[in-house]
Amino acid sequence: MSKEEKAFPMGAQTSLEVCIARKQAEAQDICSLELRALPGQSLPAFAAGAHIDVHLPGGLVRQYSLSNDCAEPDRYVIAVLRESASRGGSAAVHTQLLQGQQICISAPRNHFALQAGAKKHLLLAGGIGITPILSMARCLAREGADFTLHYSARARERMAFAEAIEASAWATRAHLHLDTAGGKPQLDIAGLLAVAEPGTHLYVCGPRGFMDAVLDTARAAGWPQEQLHYEFFAGEAGPREDDAGFEIQVASTGQVVRVAPEQTVVQALESIGVCVQTSCEQGVCGTCLTRVLEGEIEHRDMYLTEEEQAANDQFTPCCSRARSSRLVLDL
Ligand code: FES
């Protein structure tokens, strides 16, 4: 995505009306939606790893990865896990969206693309993290690329698309793993990642614990950062248990507000009457992007590129925090 595209908040981006051509159960608490263009219209092309924003009843906007092969130009397929701690998004998909209904989505965006020219692709999915990974596997299989898929889940009945994977022409490249009784992945992550082979790229998507285990193991085994590709779920970007508090200073007025460990910067600013426009509240859309004049940022978004994050001059206050004791914002 170019800088110019990023300069526009999501509200200013083109949105598309699509039809829910099919809604079906894929596994326990997981349903899929097949989205098709309205008559006379077409869908923008996408590449494996892309996601779309889905506008839900009640003004919610949530991001979901596309799971189908990008060679299918006439449909987008998403799958949604109903979260027990849902803030409304996944529950709305499960209970309020109906087959035949029209909904509004964004054009696909991709922060999790396959690396052209890689010798081999190692795909790791945990739970609902299978959605972008499945699109990647389908794309790589069609292109005749060298890849292996490892898919780990808590139980077989929670494994969306397991039958489709087992019935695919590339089933021998796919390995399905169920968690052990103690909740640990049966997948031998350390064994799998023990050797960082030059030219092999690793892609991982899943719950935070799964992703942390994979990425920590890979880094400890010497995998170079440029061979690691990952996408955290939207919603995993918020406050964490070990977060500390810090201060925010509003440059134009000099106001200083403390951000409590369980608070976001947006919430803290609201408490002193400073409103920052938000949409996804999950570090995905860029609507809340704010310039930072002083202090060290702890980025938690999926919107800025690594280079943009390293520049330390802007952040997404809906989820990102501070490493320093204070950030001065250009507000
Ligand atoms: S509101 Fe979407 S990135 Fe902050």
Side-chain angles (χ1 to χ4, degrees), residues 158-211:
R158 293 182 171 273
M159 226 169 198
F161 305 116
E163 287 82 16
I165 292 170
E166 287 171 337
S168 70
W170 44 271
T172 54
R173 294 181 174 276
H175 306 273
L176 308 190
H177 309 271
L178 298 180
D179 291 357
T180 61
K184 291 247 183 297
Q186 189 191 58
L187 171 63
D188 176 10
I189 295 172
L192 188 65
L193 304 179
V195 180
E197 289 169 23
T200 296
H201 284 252
L202 171 67
Y203 307 81
V204 57
C205 185
R208 177 166 289 278
F210 176 80
M211 295 189 58

Side-chain angles (χ1 to χ4, degrees), residues 10 63 266 277-289 301 303 316-319:
M10 186 171 66
Q63 290 69 37
V266 166
Q277 195 188 347
T278 60
S279 177
C280 72
E281 299 180 359
Q282 296 173 330
V284 176
C285 69
T287 301
C288 66
L289 200 62
D301 67 286
Y303 179 75
T316 53
C318 67
C319 62

